[in-house]
Amino acid sequence: MPILNGVSTGSLVSEPAQLSLIETARQTDANLALVKSTYEGSSSAENAKNLQHALASDARWTEAAGFPYAGTYIGFSAIATKVFARLETEWDNYRVDIEDYVAQGDKVFAFGTYSGTYVKTGKYFSARVAHLWKIHSGKIVSFEQFVDSHSVVNAM
């Protein structure tokens, strides 16, 4: 058993507590992997398929106030229609580049940069973004977007 400052670590944390910490760490890792799968596929189509599989049927997807597609959408079909279909048709090369993730328990934050060119104006934008994902029983139950929407709206 490991020793910390001359004291057995087994006496610092009970065995049930150690097992609970291990299980929490495993769950955090699984949640992180689930969220990463929605960004890090080999194509946008693969990411969309991974997202559809990962979402709970009643998942709540919230686009930030001030963002062009602001609102809360329930379920993959509404999200695909109200958000992704519009991003695909209204923008050239719209993308999110995730720089890193922070995960703890049932929450995962992904942060990075959105960019793209609005088709109607030909204007390019780049905006900082963070996404908060919540997972329950291996399914994504909510998504919340935090974004500098000013530069997105200016491109439109």
Side-chain angles (χ1 to χ4, degrees):
M1 192 168 293
I3 304 291
L4 177 65
N5 293 332
V7 178
S8 166
T9 57
S11 65
L12 295 176
V13 179
S14 69
E15 187 172 334
Q18 288 176 2
L19 293 175
S20 177
L21 290 172
I22 291 168
E23 181 54 34
T24 298
R26 284 186 184 140
Q27 194 58 54
T28 296
D29 289 346
N31 292 342
L32 178 58
L34 182 69
V35 169
K36 280 185 171 185
S37 77
T38 70
Y39 294 108
E40 298 180 0
S42 61
S43 67
S44 293
E46 182 180 339
N47 290 343
K49 183 179 177 182
N50 291 343
L51 177 63
Q52 184 175 13
H53 178 72
L55 283 174
S57 61
D58 61 347
R60 298 177 58 82
W61 185 280
T62 302
E63 297 281 308
F67 194 71
Y69 314 124
T72 298
Y73 310 101
I74 310 298
F76 182 78
S77 180
I79 297 162
T81 302
K82 302 290 185 177
V83 180
F84 294 119
R86 292 182 66 190
L87 292 173
E88 187 175 318
T89 60
E90 296 175 12
W91 298 87
D92 279 332
N93 199 30
Y94 190 94
R95 55 184 296 126
V96 59
D97 293 306
I98 298 300
E99 295 168 23
D100 209 349
Y101 303 87
V102 178
Q104 184 171 1
D106 67 346
K107 295 175 186 71
V108 177
F109 258 105
F111 59 92
T113 303
Y114 284 153
S115 62
T117 301
Y118 194 62
V119 171
K120 289 183 181 177
T121 64
K123 291 182 182 178
Y124 173 84
F125 85 97
S126 177
R128 298 295 291 159
V129 64
H131 296 155
L132 172 60
W133 303 82
K134 292 183 185 173
I135 298 94
H136 180 72
S137 298
K139 290 289 191 180
I140 295 167
V141 294
S142 71
F143 164 94
E144 185 175 1
Q145 174 198 58
F146 302 87
V147 63
D148 174 12
S149 19
H150 180 73
S151 59
V152 180
V153 172
N154 280 346
M156 300 173 84

